[in-house]
Amino acid sequence: MDARREAALLDAALELLSEVGYERLSLTEVCRRAGASTKTVYRRWASKDELMTAALRRAVVRSVDEPFEVVATGSLRGDLLENLRASAQTQRQFTPQYTAGLLVAASSGSEAGRMAKELFRMHHAGLTETVLQWARERGEIGEDVDAVFVADLIRGVELNHVLVVGGQLDDAFLESLVDHVLIPVLAPRREGAR
């Protein structure tokens, strides 16, 4: 299979994931959309899981190749807001079906599941580590703040808001997330406080 044909099939798989989710995605529809025969697909990938592993790997590579720049504003609150806004702008291209499809894939023990988890984890990981390091240097947070935990917290709240509440990652939501969840969690603990 030539590289153009493979790319067309992988892109079609990601588009369909965005439209119908993981469970309803079919190889027949991927082939139809990419203008390829099912025979072509089965020569390269033995199953939907293998095709989706390759498609999600492609999405991970794109995320690594096209990261957004983390912006410094001079304060923890400002850094969180500015960078979560940029992150939300990127995430708006993904439909709830795409996100739900990634969650379904991530729940499996397959290679596609591993790739889906990688996509989820890497989105906030670099942003959070950078912003928290700046905050440590300014003395706004302690050295013991776990960037991975904070990234997981952001992701969890955002996923709940989009998939359960049906909301948008708009400014009002992001300000509430920063002011009512992240800043209180990140605030240095006073002596004697539990």
Side-chain angles (χ1 to χ4, degrees), residues 5-187:
R5 176 56 58 93
E6 181 171 329
L9 285 161
L10 297 177
D11 288 342
L14 290 171
E15 286 171 15
L16 274 170
L17 178 65
S18 188
E19 292 170 19
V20 302
Y22 190 82
E23 291 177 329
R24 292 182 49 216
L25 185 143
S26 74
L27 291 180
T28 302
E29 184 57 24
V30 170
C31 292
R32 188 195 66 71
R33 184 159 298 191
S37 69
T38 52
K39 189 175 178 182
T40 301
V41 170
Y42 283 115
R43 274 199 304 256
R44 178 71 174 89
W45 301 286
S47 66
K48 175 173 120 174
D49 191 59
E50 284 187 18
L51 170 66
M52 290 312 298
T53 298
L56 292 171
R57 186 174 289 118
R58 180 173 172 81
V60 168
V61 168
R62 280 185 187 154
S63 293
V64 170
D65 288 345
E66 301 169 6
F68 63 86
E69 185 178 338
V70 183
V71 176
T73 67
S75 73
L76 175 60
R77 183 181 188 276
D79 290 353
L80 286 167
L81 275 174
E82 189 66 29
N83 291 291
L84 286 174
R85 283 180 183 130
S87 171
Q89 190 69 26
T90 301
Q91 290 180 73
R92 284 187 192 110
Q93 67 185 315
F94 303 125
T95 65
Q97 292 87 347
Y98 180 88
T99 304
L102 284 180
L103 285 172
V104 169
S107 68
S108 76
S110 67
E111 182 65 13
R114 193 180 70 73
M115 292 275 84
K117 287 176 186 172
E118 185 72 16
L119 263 178
F120 274 125
R121 292 203 74 116
M122 69 187 301
H123 186 76
H124 290 104
L127 175 159
T128 306
E129 183 53 53
T130 301
V131 165
L132 295 184
Q133 185 55 42
W134 291 336
R136 282 185 198 100
E137 291 166 4
R138 290 189 301 257
E140 293 176 290
I141 63 171
E143 292 294 324
D144 62 338
V145 173
D146 183 351
V148 173
F149 173 77
V150 175
D152 289 345
L153 178 62
I154 293 169
R155 184 174 39 264
V157 172
E158 287 184 351
L159 285 172
N160 180 73
H161 188 68
V162 170
L163 296 176
V164 177
V165 176
Q168 298 291 320
L169 301 181
D170 57 19
D171 278 355
F173 167 75
L174 294 173
E175 286 180 17
S176 182
L177 171 60
V178 169
D179 292 338
H180 301 294
V181 178
L182 298 177
I183 296 296
V185 165
L186 294 169

